[in-house]
Every structure is written in C-alpha cells, then in structure tokens.
Amino acid sequence: MHAKRILHRPSSPTGSRSHATAAPASSAADWGLLLIRLTFGLLMAAHGAQKVFGIFGGDGLTATGQAFAGLGYRPGKLFAVIGGLSELLGGLGLAVGLFTPLAAAALIGVMINAMATVSGAHGLWDTDGGVEYSVCIAVVALSIAAIGPGRLALDRLFPWGTGGWGEAAFALGLGGVAAAITLSL
C-alpha cells in the first residue's frame, strides 16, 4: 500500500477537492518508472530487432529461424518472427508506456518459452545457462503492468494506464496462454 501512495498521491497535500482541476506534477516515482521503462523497453526492443532485422550484432531472421527450428519450433523462421516481434513491439510498448499490459504479456510469453525450451534445464543461474535472466525480464514486465507505466506514459489517457491487479492478471494470463499455445504446437 505504501507504494500506491507514492505512485498515486493526491493532487493536493490535504487530499481535498479544491485543487482537483490542477494537473498533477510528476513525481520522482514517475521519472523512475520512465527510466526503467525506457532502459528495459529499448533494450528488449533492440534484442528483438537483432532477431528480426540482424541489427545491433544480431544474427537476423534466417539464422534465428534455424536456431528456433533446432529447438523444435516448426517452422523455425515463423516462430523467430513471432518471438522477435514480441520482443521488439513489447519492448517499444513498455518504453513509451503504450498498451502496457499487452506489451508486458508479449515479453512474459517469450520468456516463458525461453525458460521452457532453452534455460529451464540448466537451473537458476545465468552463468550455467539457467533461467535467471528470463525470470528477471518476466518479473520486470509483470511489475510494470501491475504498477502502471506512470504519468509520463501514453497510457495515462486510458483506463489501464494506472496499473492494478487486473492489468497484472491480464499480462500474466495472456503471456502464459500464448506461451502454452506456442509450446504445444
């Protein structure tokens, strides 16, 4: 509850309605969320662009498709497009704070797939090839959906722009269902 007060403080110190028409000033929490969203989102978008476009030192779609096929995804190139675009668009969505629950769901789904097919058999730590990195990505994405993107986001104009249990459940549920469908194919 303490975090909720910090992130969504009343527009006036006393909480009265006398200044309800004044636009609330951005807080340190809003700027902190923006920093997290930009850093995390843009890095995830670049990671997806490596797969899809072969930029930023990435292998590109053909090589990524071959790697996906080697993991059992058939056709590998199609699943490389889906995975790469999920990271690219999910990362961009989080970075600008647009369709935040959907963007979080895209990243959560990709990370569940990564844990199930690549890193799950190697334990927790990334140094052993484990799930550490994927868990961190999924938890940050889920947390942003739960907290909301903050006032410095495009979503501030929409009902889901404040985050909450519903938004977090949507992100986790959709990401989980999408991962389950992908893994079953």
Side-chain angles (χ1 to χ4, degrees):
M1 287 301 173
H2 179 55
K4 195 70 165 178
R5 283 193 307 257
I6 291 172
L7 296 176
H8 301 288
R9 67 179 125 143
S11 59
S12 69
T14 61
S16 69
R17 296 283 180 195
S18 62
H19 301 296
T21 59
S26 59
S27 67
D30 293 318
W31 286 97
L33 275 169
L34 178 64
L35 180 61
I36 291 169
R37 286 191 356 258
L38 285 174
T39 303
F40 179 76
L42 292 176
L43 286 172
M44 288 308 304
H47 192 71
Q50 288 177 319
K51 289 178 176 70
V52 177
F53 303 118
I55 58 176
F56 307 122
D59 293 330
L61 200 49
T62 301
T64 303
Q66 291 169 348
F68 273 55
L71 294 170
Y73 293 99
R74 304 262 191 271
K77 197 168 191 176
L78 173 65
F79 284 98
V81 168
I82 293 169
L85 286 178
S86 294
E87 291 173 344
L88 176 66
L89 297 175
L92 290 175
L94 286 183
V96 299
L98 183 61
F99 303 120
T100 301
L102 187 59
L107 296 176
I108 291 167
V110 170
M111 291 306 112
I112 291 171
N113 271 276
M115 289 183 269
T117 60
V118 179
S119 56
H122 302 285
L124 176 62
W125 302 115
D126 189 54
T127 53
D128 299 325
V131 298
E132 173 188 8
Y133 177 72
S134 298
V135 167
C136 289
I137 291 171
V139 168
V140 168
L142 179 60
S143 297
I144 292 171
I147 294 167
R151 287 188 191 113
L152 304 174
L154 296 175
D155 272 346
R156 72 185 180 283
L157 305 171
F158 299 106
W160 59 83
T162 59
W165 288 113
E167 289 78 357
F170 175 84
L172 185 58
L174 182 60
V177 167
I181 290 170
T182 303
L183 290 167
S184 70
L185 299 176

